Amino acid sequence: MEPLKVLVVDDSSSMRAILKKILRLTGLPLAQIFEAGNGLQALELLAQNAIDLVFVDLNMPEMGGMEFIGRVQSDPKLANTIPIIVVSTESSQTRIDEILAKGMGFIHKPFTPEQVCEKVRTVMGGASHGSE
Amino acid sequence: MEANDVLLNKVAQEIFEQTAYLTPRPEGTPSMPKRPDAMARATVNFTGPFPGILQLEVPSDLLPILASNMLGEDETSPEAARQGQDALGELANIICGNLLARMAGPEPIFHLDAPTIENPARPVPDVPANKYRAYTTLSLEIGWASLSIALNPVETPA
């Protein structure tokens, strides 16, 4: 597997730092980890870099996670090419079902490093990577 | 819908243990600092089936410990010092999301605003009495944390 470029999107800098630390524990080859504080910044990074995996929060200022996912999925260059894992306190089964139906992964906060590692392995197992 | 001190305490305990690796102690009344500038407060406003506000307050010297535990950094590290307030906000956000799910059940969708952080002029709760729903204080291995959740009052016909 080629070293991965990962994008972590969360308005909390501490949550981004936690996810970055866990990512380094997964054993996945990592080329670079990008950070964004909202969906708009994330879209700019996606346009400029061949990202292989995205972690995204739902509730963020400027552009939230659901709108970000919608924008990615409506972009012919990005749709169905980048695995996206939603990391959120969201507990509404309606909303979680909506996320899963879009083909996203979902991790509920709080989470353990093991849960993140397992989800990454699951979504990367069948993904078509942007940098391949 | 249920909101009470016991539920708030239970959810807050779980999140502190799982996220910040701080185990609340069952006994003892935490001693509160006298100086307002020695406290930090995170506030999360939420909207949904019932809108309201959750507040989490801790002594300021707990902030680097929260950050170091959450990030796996040494508490004297620059990163822990930098991330203290954000870590408090993220804790409040996680507690709020999980508490609302326990209160409202698995279907309703809430929107949580980004947490705001301040050094409060007085301890929580500082919301009007008619809005108050639940309040609790955790005595931690190091320091304490106090939490309140208030729901916007339901207007009743005159």
Side-chain angles (χ1 to χ4, degrees), chain A residues 10 15 18-19 22 55-59 85-93 95-96 99-100 105-116 119, chain B residues 11 14-15 18-19 90 93-102 105-106 108 112:
Chain A
D10 198 306
M15 183 51 63
I18 290 168
L19 284 168
I22 292 174
F55 287 88
V56 63
D57 188 17
L58 288 183
N59 290 319
I85 299 174
V86 174
V87 185
S88 172
T89 60
E90 182 63 68
S91 298
S92 164
Q93 196 57 50
R95 176 55 58 81
I96 294 170
I99 290 164
L100 297 177
F106 181 79
I107 297 173
H108 186 260
K109 296 178 185 176
F111 52 76
T112 63
E114 292 75 21
Q115 288 171 322
V116 177
K119 188 63 68 179
Chain B
V11 173
E14 290 173 4
I15 303 303
Q18 294 171 27
T19 306
E90 186 59 21
N93 177 59
I94 296 173
I95 290 170
C96 189
N98 282 270
L99 178 65
L100 291 175
R102 303 272 185 99
L112 279 59

Side-chain angles (χ1 to χ4, degrees), chain B residues 24-139:
Chain B
R25 298 181 302 196
E27 80 290 347
T29 302
S31 59
M32 305 293 180
K34 298 288 189 287
R35 293 181 301 114
D37 63 359
M39 296 186 288
R41 178 190 297 169
T43 299
V44 179
N45 287 286
F46 55 89
T47 54
F50 45 87
I53 182 171
L54 180 132
Q55 294 186 310
L56 165 61
E57 190 170 279
V58 300
S60 294
D61 55 11
L62 189 60
L63 294 180
I65 298 169
L66 287 178
S68 66
N69 285 7
M70 289 169 68
L71 272 60
E73 299 277 347
D74 188 283
E75 69 185 62
T76 59
S77 72
E79 181 74 352
R82 227 181 358 254
Q83 298 281 12
Q85 292 199 339
D86 189 87
L88 179 68
E90 186 59 21
L91 261 183
N93 177 59
I94 296 173
I95 290 170
C96 189
N98 282 270
L99 178 65
L100 291 175
R102 303 272 185 99
M103 291 167 61
E107 292 305 325
I109 297 175
F110 290 89
H111 175 84
L112 279 59
D113 288 349
T116 57
I117 309 294
E118 60 184 335
N119 295 113
R122 57 184 185 276
V124 286
D126 68 348
V127 291
N130 66 329
K131 292 175 72 177
Y132 169 77
R133 284 296 184 278
Y135 172 80
T136 192
T137 301
L138 303 181
S139 178

Side-chain angles (χ1 to χ4, degrees), chain B residues 137-157:
Chain B
T137 301
L138 303 181
S139 178
L140 304 169
E141 299 159 63
I142 306 166
W144 52 268
S146 63
L147 299 100
S148 72
I149 183 168
L151 310 183
N152 287 350
V154 177
E155 291 185 12
T156 52

